[in-house]
Amino acid sequence: MEFDWAVIKDALPNLLEGTLMTINITFWGLVGGFLLGALSGVTRAYGHPVLSAIAQVYVAVIRGTPIVVQVMFIYFALPLLANIRVDAVQAAIFTLIINSGAYISEIVRGSLLSVHKGLREAGQAMGLPFHKILFHIIGPVAFRRMIPPLGNQCIISLKDSSLFIVIGVAELTRQGQEIMASNFRAVEIWSAVAIVYLILTGLMALGLRLVEKRMRIL
């Protein structure tokens, strides 16, 4: 069987559409996940014991269940329980937010607790309130340490978006499946899909590498 490049050329518009959907889901999922993870991580590191326990339960539940189960629950079960309508894209983004947020929470917590307590004590000695110590002293140091694991989580979340095929989201993998079902050219289509994912993850890794290099602790 010969590799036919014309098949990929014909499929490019649909693959591009799926790629844009993948980027959209991943972007909003990671933005929301970082905000949720940062809040949860700070709460677990420095928050009230009750709030910390709630955050710990959230992290344990999300990390202990597959993302496919989470998206199926949100898309099929949540509308029945809460009497609300959730479309496939909203379910995908919300799932990625809560899933990535749980892992980012642990990254944030670990990075904050890795900062030497002497910095916090120095801020307290200067009479600074805790929120200023966190944002201006502990936070910048901790953020530098978060960059490598955050980069890994971004790439994982990008690839996890392919699992939303189970609820019919027209992301890259779904588009590849539909094209392949119409022309039966599995080798060309899945090769093209793999290359697109490699380009996306490569660009993401390069961007994070540049950020890490720029913010490196000397």
Side-chain angles (χ1 to χ4, degrees):
M1 178 181 177
E2 289 188 13
F3 193 93
D4 189 355
W5 289 100
V7 173
I8 297 178
K9 183 180 178 181
D10 294 338
L12 276 179
N14 290 51
L15 292 178
L16 178 60
E17 184 180 341
T19 301
L20 293 176
M21 178 61 73
T22 292
I23 293 172
N24 181 56
I25 292 171
T26 304
F27 175 78
W28 291 113
L30 286 174
V31 169
F34 182 78
L35 295 175
L36 179 60
L39 178 62
S40 176
V42 171
T43 300
R44 291 198 65 195
Y46 302 117
H48 189 277
V50 174
L51 296 177
S52 179
I54 293 172
Q56 188 171 357
V57 170
Y58 154 66
V59 171
V61 170
I62 298 303
R63 292 175 68 192
T65 55
I67 190 171
V68 172
V69 174
Q70 295 163 15
V71 74
M72 297 285 272
F73 182 88
I74 290 171
Y75 187 60
F76 292 108
L78 187 60
L80 297 176
L81 294 174
N83 194 27
I84 58 174
R85 183 177 180 180
V86 181
D87 67 35
V89 175
Q90 290 174 337
I93 293 174
F94 185 62
T95 301
L96 203 58
I97 287 174
I98 63 171
N99 183 271
S100 62
Y103 291 93
I104 292 172
S105 173
E106 288 297 278
I107 295 171
V108 171
R109 182 183 68 88
S111 299
L112 290 173
L113 294 180
S114 72
V115 177
H116 195 279
K117 65 179 182 180
L119 289 178
R120 181 177 180 179
E121 292 171 351
Q124 291 172 334
M126 294 169 63
L128 295 175
F130 177 71
H131 70 275
K132 288 191 175 182
I133 296 174
L134 181 61
F135 281 103
H136 298 294
I137 299 177
I138 299 175
V141 177
F143 183 72
R144 290 181 176 91
R145 299 177 182 180
M146 293 179 203
I147 294 174
L150 280 177
N152 289 336
Q153 184 56 47
C154 288
I155 291 173
I156 290 170
S157 293
L158 173 65
K159 294 188 293 182
D160 280 349
S161 67
S162 65
L163 298 174
F164 299 141
I165 190 175
V166 298
I167 59 170
V169 176
E171 43 72 56
L172 179 57
T173 305
R174 174 77 177 192
Q175 292 284 9
Q177 184 187 52
E178 291 182 352
I179 295 168
M180 192 273 295
S182 64
N183 61 18
F184 302 102
R185 303 293 296 194
V187 175
E188 290 88 346
I189 297 303
W190 292 121
S191 295
V193 170
I195 289 170
V196 173
Y197 274 115
L198 282 171
I199 292 172
L200 292 177
T201 56
L203 290 173
M204 188 176 286
L206 178 62
L208 289 164
R209 178 66 177 168
L210 291 174
V211 172
E212 182 181 0
K213 195 172 182 179
R214 185 149 184 119
M215 299 190 67
R216 182 176 297 167
I217 300 174
L218 301 177

